[in-house]
Amino acid sequence: MNRILHAVKPTQLFVLSFVFVILLGAFLLWLPISSANGEFTSFLDCLFTATSASCVTGLTVVTTAAHWSAFGKIVITCLIQIGGLGFITLITVIFLLAGKRITLKERVLIQETFNLSQTHGIVRFVKFLAMFTFTVELIGAVILTLRFIPDYGIPGAIPMGIFHSISAFCNAGFDLIGASSMSPYVDDPIINIVIMALVVTGGLGFPVWVELLGLRKALKKSKENPSFKVAVKRLSVHTKIVVTTTLLLILSGALFTFILEYNNPLTLGTLSMQGKIFASFFHSVVLRTAGFFSIDMAGLHHSTEFLSIILMMIGGSPCGTAGGMKTISLAVVLLAVISLIKERDSITAFKRNISFSALQKALAVIVLMITILMTATMLLSITEVNMDFDYEFIDLMFEVASALGTVGNSIGITPYLSSIGKLIIISCMFIGRLGPITIAIAFMSTHSDKNKIHYPTEDVMVG
């Protein structure tokens, strides 16, 4: 067994760990003890739910609150937590608690899990990750529990608070409220602010939080006077790009949603001004791969639906709990375009050059994700011709974008998907969580000798 594990590439182990978790979760959900009526659930529906939870997506073919028993909901919660942090990471945390030494192979696995550039400081990073995650989730659970007490009582509020805190931080979007998700709390300040804060916190990425939380300590040791300018200078380009891009996407998404849906009676039209503002921001934030909703997705104008598809495909930031193409990919490509227009020889951001390899990877991710989006949408348009749901082509694209971006929002198509349609969406959720490049590298053989060959350069006409 040890020989087999050593023969398998770290990337393959990373992918296979998710496959193992999904299949185990599907089996547990298939058992009668997992359903509220005590009967077996269709294995395909269980596989769909397990994939959605493990890939922190949130798309469901059955209503989570009504269909699953307490045991089933616990299984889903565990799958969400494992999916958010990664199976390898949780195993490492258990090993650390048991006092086991972390081997080089395990360090490389963690590096692959979070797409880190080096193995140095991996153990310290995992300790921070676990402590940060459980602390934030605990704070979120306490606040949400206190808010849910008037509606569900103390016995009901505690599991509600814990489940929704984990689901929000891991950007999963599963909820126990029912088919209406967060609609009953569309103008509730506590629910909106806490859920949005958890989603953004999980989606920013753990390396960003390492820097942000370590900044104050570094400034205290510095002889310089602590100031915002000094703080910004000390941050890495990665963190600056992530924070800037995230803020711009949230603000622009909320602004356009507010404008486009302001008078729509099916979404924002009937809400108070406070409700419109909260709903606009909530919609913009959760499209960063969370999957909750406080307004009817089926009631969106096509313009807002298309905007939502774009935001879902972008997703969150690297090395966090969110999916999608990532904010960094978008930012690097846009910076490359700006550099070209300004006739610069290099891609720059915050007075630093960005490597060509970063642009290559960003372009590869975006092209692959868009290709999969188009292909899967086309396939669904063929397989779902006789669906018992009145939909338009853009609705299918919305569904695929939601799966690829591991978001979980839907126009209402998901429960009506055919068996082939469900398998297509399952594949999209899996690819969206692990990343198309990771899966390609895991199962494509590479020949190092060929990679070392350098051919003559020749220009081609572009544009």
Side-chain angles (χ1 to χ4, degrees):
M1 184 68 179
N2 240 1
R3 250 181 228 177
I4 295 173
L5 286 175
H6 280 288
V8 178
K9 293 194 295 185
T11 332
Q12 291 174 334
L13 280 177
F14 170 57
V15 173
L16 291 174
S17 70
F18 265 91
V19 174
F20 170 75
V21 170
I22 289 169
L23 292 176
L24 177 62
F27 172 74
L28 292 174
L29 291 175
W30 175 71
L31 298 174
I33 191 175
S34 293
S35 64
N37 59 14
E39 298 177 1
F40 286 102
T41 304
S42 161
F43 188 77
L44 183 56
D45 289 347
C46 294
L47 181 64
F48 190 101
T49 304
T51 306
S52 184
S54 301
C55 297
V56 289
T57 305
L59 287 172
T60 56
V61 286
V62 294
T63 305
T64 307
H67 182 83
W68 304 110
S69 65
F71 178 79
K73 290 167 185 172
I74 290 172
V75 170
I76 291 172
T77 306
C78 292
L79 290 174
I80 291 170
Q81 189 71 85
I82 293 170
L85 296 182
F87 181 66
I88 303 297
T89 308
L90 287 176
I91 292 296
T92 305
V93 171
I94 293 170
F95 283 170
L96 287 172
L97 291 174
K100 183 182 179 298
R101 183 177 173 273
I102 306 302
T103 64
L104 178 61
K105 180 83 171 179
E106 289 158 350
R107 291 169 192 265
V108 173
L109 272 173
I110 299 166
Q111 180 188 6
E112 293 291 342
T113 300
F114 291 99
N115 196 25
L116 298 172
S117 57
Q118 57 183 12
T119 57
H120 178 69
I122 284 285
V123 174
R124 187 168 62 252
F125 175 75
V126 170
K127 287 179 180 178
F128 167 82
L129 183 154
M131 184 65 69
F132 180 76
T133 296
F134 297 131
T135 300
V136 173
E137 288 178 347
L138 177 61
I139 293 170
V142 170
I143 298 172
L144 290 175
T145 297
L146 293 173
R147 174 58 191 86
F148 283 134
I149 286 176
D151 300 329
Y152 297 94
I154 295 177
I158 294 174
M160 288 285 288
I162 294 171
F163 184 92
H164 289 96
S165 180
I166 293 173
S167 183
F169 179 81
C170 291
N171 279 225
F174 279 82
D175 69 85
L176 300 180
I177 295 171
S180 60
S181 188
M182 294 294 168
S183 297
Y185 301 98
V186 65
D187 57 355
D188 187 291
I190 296 175
I191 295 293
N192 276 272
I193 292 171
V194 172
I195 294 293
M196 286 192 289
L198 287 168
V199 170
V200 173
T201 302
L204 276 180
F206 297 109
V208 173
W209 284 110
V210 170
E211 280 198 62
L212 293 177
L213 294 177
L215 191 61
R216 187 178 176 186
K217 187 177 179 182
L219 287 174
K220 279 184 178 179
K221 290 182 179 180
S222 174
K223 294 179 181 178
E224 303 174 59
N225 293 322
S227 66
F228 180 75
K229 191 174 181 180
V230 173
V232 170
K233 282 184 178 179
R234 289 179 179 273
L235 295 174
S236 67
V237 174
H238 172 86
T239 297
K240 290 175 184 177
I241 292 176
V242 165
V243 174
T244 303
T245 309
T246 299
L247 288 174
L248 287 174
L249 287 171
I250 290 174
L251 291 172
S252 59
L255 177 62
F256 281 111
T257 301
F258 182 83
I259 294 170
L260 295 172
E261 297 294 320
Y262 188 86
N263 292 317
N264 186 349
L266 299 177
T267 54
L268 302 183
T270 59
L271 300 177
S272 64
M273 183 54 69
Q274 176 176 302
K276 291 178 195 289
I277 294 172
F278 273 130
S280 297
F281 272 98
F282 193 85
H283 184 71
S284 179
V285 168
V286 298
L287 289 177
R288 313 307 306 292
T289 83
F292 299 107
F293 62 89
S294 60
I295 53 177
D296 184 13
M297 294 289 107
L300 293 172
H301 290 311
H302 284 335
S303 54
T304 315
E305 196 174 340
F306 187 69
L307 171 68
S308 301
I309 290 172
I310 295 171
L311 291 174
M312 288 191 293
M313 287 298 291
I314 295 170
S317 301
C319 200
T321 58
M325 297 185 296
K326 310 298 186 187
T327 52
I328 286 287
S329 300
L330 173 70
V332 169
V333 171
L334 289 178
L335 287 168
V337 172
I338 293 169
S339 294
L340 180 65
I341 293 171
K342 291 186 175 181
E343 298 183 337
R344 291 175 179 167
D345 294 331
S346 58
I347 307 168
T348 59
F350 299 102
K351 297 181 180 180
R352 293 290 186 275
N353 285 340
I354 294 173
S355 67
F356 177 70
S357 61
L359 175 61
Q360 271 187 313
K361 190 170 183 180
L363 282 171
V365 170
I366 291 174
V367 170
L368 285 172
M369 290 288 274
I370 292 175
T371 302
I372 296 168
L373 173 68
M374 296 296 108
T375 305
T377 304
M378 183 188 70
L379 290 174
L380 282 184
S381 70
I382 297 170
T383 63
E384 309 308 305
V385 172
N386 300 317
M387 182 191 289
D388 295 329
F389 185 88
D390 187 20
Y391 68 88
E392 297 186 39
F393 186 79
I394 194 171
D395 299 331
L396 294 178
M397 185 178 287
F398 187 97
E399 190 82 7
V400 174
S402 181
L404 268 179
T406 68
V407 181
N409 280 331
S410 175
I411 301 300
I413 289 175
T414 317
Y416 300 94
L417 289 169
S418 64
S419 296
I420 298 176
K422 288 176 184 176
L423 290 173
I424 291 171
I425 294 299
I426 285 172
S427 302
C428 288
M429 290 190 288
F430 188 76
I431 293 170
R433 178 64 183 93
L434 275 68
I437 292 180
T438 301
I439 295 173
I441 290 173
F443 298 105
M444 285 180 67
S445 59
T446 56
H447 303 283
S448 55
D449 291 339
K450 287 186 178 181
N451 291 336
K452 291 177 182 177
I453 297 174
H454 295 278
Y455 296 101
T457 302
E458 187 171 333
D459 286 332
V460 295
M461 291 182 287
V462 178

